[in-house]
Amino acid sequence: MRKKIVAGNWKMNKTFEEAEELITEIADGLDEMDLNGHGVILCPPALYIEMATDVAEESLFEVGAQNVYPADSGAFTGEISPLMLKKLNVGYCIVGHSERRKYFQEDALFLKQKVDALLRNGVIPIFCCGETLPEREAGNHFRIVEDQLIASLFHLDAADFSKIIIAYEPVWAIGTGVNATKEQAQEMHAFIRERISGKYGVAIAQDLTILYGGSCNAKNAAELFSQPDVDGGLIGGASLKTEEFLQIVASL
Ligand code: PEP
């Protein structure tokens, strides 16, 4: 169901004590706000998920994971399964983040397997797509994003596809301080919705939540979120500061 959402991707940041403090402050801040039915998802490092789901039980945010291995159990040293996430009340998991594509060589087939394993276990994938700067400069950004969707998502049937969340995250905007303009974000989000409409029909495309990610902060969030096809944001750096993150949530 289409919903306005702010999701925080903490990446590999914060000690346990710092994470506990941040999550408690965010929970307290959300208690003071009227979320109007909008969603807030926090994706802490895996070690802190149980602490986060404990706090979430009494709060207005939900918990997501940053990563998963596409098998329910087995000899995969160091990995975490979708079943483990589900059993800890983790509702979401980021898939296809550009850092995992780049530093861990995760390819489209592997991402497709993760999407399937998550859906099989009732965990919603937050699927990231986006082009690099050279790809945009060469005018290939639409094709790149479309290819990413086709390769890892378009095998899904309509029922499964309608459960997912997409995050458009231009790689050149992630952690750089250079966000996509509201026009660039809207143009790509509309394109994504249009391609999905072509594959799954208008109703499913209109019902899909598409987040923007890439140097989104308290200053630019309201402008980005005001675009008709931008349903909120996936926030990296700015999700590590309580006041800034709460202001971004208030921008929905
Ligand atoms: C991200 O890593 O998903 C992200 C959007 O990072 P940042 O907000 O720091 O650009």
Side-chain angles (χ1 to χ4, degrees):
M1 194 192 66
R2 188 162 172 184
K3 190 174 173 178
K4 294 225 169 218
I5 292 173
V6 165
N9 173 15
W10 288 11
K11 312 195 190 191
M12 196 178 71
N13 289 298
K14 303 286 179 189
T15 63
F16 183 82
E17 286 74 18
E18 290 166 348
E20 212 173 19
E21 191 182 335
L22 178 60
I23 219 154
T24 308
E25 284 175 3
I26 290 174
D28 289 348
L30 293 176
D31 280 348
E32 306 294 311
M33 291 170 69
D34 181 3
L35 286 183
N36 246 325
H38 302 328
V40 177
I41 302 169
L42 300 180
C43 305
L47 271 178
Y48 310 154
I49 277 180
E50 197 173 358
M51 176 274 287
T53 52
D54 280 351
V55 179
E57 268 181 37
E58 305 289 323
S59 182
L60 296 169
F61 70 88
E62 295 175 277
V63 178
Q66 296 177 19
N67 189 30
V68 73
Y69 188 81
D72 290 355
S73 64
F76 303 103
T77 302
E79 295 297 310
I80 292 169
S81 83
L83 180 64
M84 294 172 185
L85 295 178
K86 184 65 186 172
K87 293 287 180 194
L88 280 181
N89 294 323
V90 175
Y92 305 85
C93 181
I94 298 170
V95 177
H97 193 284
S98 63
E99 288 152 14
R100 296 215 60 92
R101 292 180 192 259
K102 180 175 173 191
Y103 301 129
F104 303 95
Q105 291 81 45
E106 295 192 359
D107 63 13
L109 175 61
F110 193 52
L111 301 179
K112 178 182 178 185
Q113 291 167 349
K114 289 189 183 201
V115 167
D116 289 344
L118 287 166
L119 288 170
R120 199 171 57 238
N121 283 281
V123 180
I124 296 173
I126 302 175
F127 183 82
C128 303
C129 55
E131 79 287 355
T132 62
L133 191 56
E135 287 164 347
R136 177 167 277 267
E137 285 174 347
N140 290 333
H141 42 303
F142 294 115
R143 188 178 55 75
I144 293 293
V145 168
E146 181 175 16
D147 285 352
Q148 290 170 343
L149 299 177
I150 291 172
S152 301
L153 295 182
F154 276 15
H155 64 290
L156 295 172
D157 64 23
D160 270 345
F161 188 87
S162 58
K163 293 176 191 148
I164 67 167
I165 294 171
I166 289 181
Y168 169 56
E169 298 211 309
V171 181
W172 47 270
I174 295 179
T176 59
V178 182
N179 59 286
T181 63
K182 63 181 193 308
E183 291 83 8
Q184 287 171 323
Q186 169 56 26
E187 186 184 36
M188 184 59 87
H189 284 228
F191 171 78
I192 291 170
R193 218 179 282 287
E194 190 257 312
R195 302 321 283 170
I196 288 163
S197 179
K199 169 78 179 166
Y200 292 100
V202 182
I204 287 181
Q206 283 306 322
D207 215 33
L208 186 81
T209 300
I210 308 179
L211 308 180
Y212 167 77
S215 297
C216 186
N217 56 39
K219 288 203 180 77
N220 58 29
E223 188 172 66
L224 287 159
F225 298 170
S226 70
Q227 299 305 296
D229 286 296
V230 178
D231 302 313
L234 178 55
I235 317 297
S239 71
L240 297 169
K241 299 171 219 149
T242 308
E243 281 316 312
E244 174 123 28
F245 185 70
L246 291 173
Q247 278 180 47
I248 295 171
V249 173
S251 306
L252 280 172

